[in-house]
Amino acid sequence: MGVRIALLQVPDGALRSSGGRPIMRSKSDATLHGDVLAALQFEPSLNETRIAINVRKGVVTLLGKVDSYADKATAERVVRRVDGVRGIANDLEVEVPEHHVRTDTDVAQSALDALRWDVTVPAQALQVKVEKGWLTLSGEVEWHFQKRHAEDAVRRLRGLRGVINLITVKARLTAVDIKRKIEGAFERNARIHAGGIRVEVDGSRVTLTGMAATLGEMREAEAAAWAAAGVTEVVNTIQVSEAQPA
C-alpha cells in the first residue's frame, strides 16, 4: 500500500530516483510527436488536421490556423498535459470564419457582459478595449486568480482573435509572509519536490529557481506562487531536467 501512495504522488509518467526526486522516462522527439498528435486528435473540440506539430528536444511548437482564440488556448492546454513535453511554443494563428466575424464594439460589449456574469471577477474594477478583434483587459484586482478568471471569462467569445491581459494585482503581504506561504504550499503539494525549487521574494515579485523533473511540476510551482496573496509578478526560471533513461 505504501508503494502505491508514493507512485500516486508523482506526476504521470515519472518515477522516483534513489533520492526521492521524480525523474522522467526517456522519450524521443518522434515518440513525443505521436503522443501530442494523439492527444490533439482525442480532443473533440479541435480540428487537429489544421494543426502542424514540430518537436525538438522535448519542446513542442504548434503551427497552423484555428477558428477561434478558444481553440488556440485549448490546443496549448492539451499539449501541456502530455508526458515528456518540456516546453511549448504556441504559434497558431486565429482565422475567424466569416460568419463569426463581429465588430470591435460587439466584442467589447460581450466581454463586459461576460465579466459581469462571472461571480469571481470584480468586473467594476476592470476595463476592456478591443482593436481588430484583439481584446485588452486592464484594471486592478486583489488576487491573481481574479486576473486569470477574467481572461477565462472572455476567451471563448465569438469573433475574438486574442487576449492581452494587463490586469495588475495589488500587493497585500510582506515579502517574508509571501515567501513563507509559497514554501508552505510547496511542502503540501505532492506534485512538487520542494527541495529542488527555491523561492526568492522582492516586494511582491517572486522569482522561482532550481530544477523540476517535469514541465507539469514547473507549472504547478508557478501556479502555487501565483496563488499566494499579494503576489503581483512571478519570474519562473525553473529548469526542466533532461529526461532520464527508463
Side-chain angles (χ1 to χ4, degrees):
M1 179 63 69
V3 173
R4 284 185 185 176
I5 294 174
L7 289 175
L8 288 173
Q9 292 177 343
V10 183
D12 294 342
L15 297 175
R16 290 285 184 186
S17 68
S18 58
R21 179 165 181 75
I23 57 177
M24 293 177 63
R25 291 183 180 278
S26 179
K27 184 180 289 188
S28 69
D29 285 346
T31 299
L32 185 56
H33 185 284
D35 288 349
V36 169
L37 177 59
L40 292 173
Q41 290 173 333
F42 189 72
E43 172 55 50
S45 67
L46 292 176
N47 179 4
E48 82 287 346
T49 62
R50 302 185 67 195
I51 300 176
I53 307 164
N54 287 336
V55 181
R56 180 175 174 78
K57 295 183 179 180
V59 177
V60 177
T61 300
L62 299 177
L63 302 163
K65 296 182 179 181
V66 290
D67 291 339
S68 67
Y69 179 70
D71 285 349
K72 179 175 181 175
T74 297
E76 182 173 331
R77 174 177 53 81
V78 168
V79 174
R80 188 179 294 126
R81 293 199 304 254
V82 177
D83 177 42
V85 173
R86 300 184 64 236
I88 302 170
N90 191 344
D91 291 335
L92 290 171
E93 178 184 349
V94 177
E95 189 176 69
V96 179
E98 185 175 349
H99 61 285
H100 282 176
V101 173
R102 305 168 66 201
T103 67
D104 289 345
T105 300
D106 286 342
V107 174
Q109 186 59 59
S110 294
L112 289 172
D113 289 341
L115 293 172
R116 284 195 292 264
W117 293 336
D118 192 320
V119 297
T120 66
V121 175
Q124 72 282 356
L126 304 180
Q127 297 83 45
V128 304
K129 182 182 76 171
V130 182
E131 184 175 355
K132 296 181 179 179
W134 278 83
L135 171 65
T136 300
L137 297 171
S138 59
E140 190 175 68
V141 295
E142 293 188 1
W143 296 86
H144 180 262
F145 80 83
Q146 294 171 322
K147 174 178 179 175
R148 186 179 70 249
H149 285 190
E151 182 172 340
D152 290 343
V154 301
R155 71 170 37 159
R156 292 180 177 83
L157 294 179
R158 181 174 296 180
L160 192 65
R161 297 182 183 275
V163 176
I164 301 172
N165 194 339
L166 300 181
I167 297 172
T168 58
V169 181
K170 291 186 292 189
R172 300 180 58 187
L173 300 177
T174 67
V176 173
D177 289 335
I178 292 173
K179 178 179 174 68
R180 183 172 64 249
K181 287 182 177 295
I182 293 173
E183 290 176 340
F186 285 0
E187 292 292 340
R188 294 189 298 272
N189 194 322
R191 293 176 62 85
I192 301 174
H193 184 73
I197 299 175
R198 294 179 295 279
V199 181
E200 299 174 6
V201 182
D202 181 10
S204 59
R205 182 176 187 263
V206 177
T207 300
L208 302 177
T209 60
M211 296 293 295
T214 67
L215 180 64
E217 182 184 2
M218 182 190 76
R219 297 285 189 184
E220 193 82 13
E222 182 175 338
W226 273 121
V231 173
T232 61
E233 182 181 359
V234 175
V235 179
N236 190 348
T237 63
I238 297 171
Q239 300 294 309
V240 179
S241 60
E242 294 289 344
Q244 303 284 335

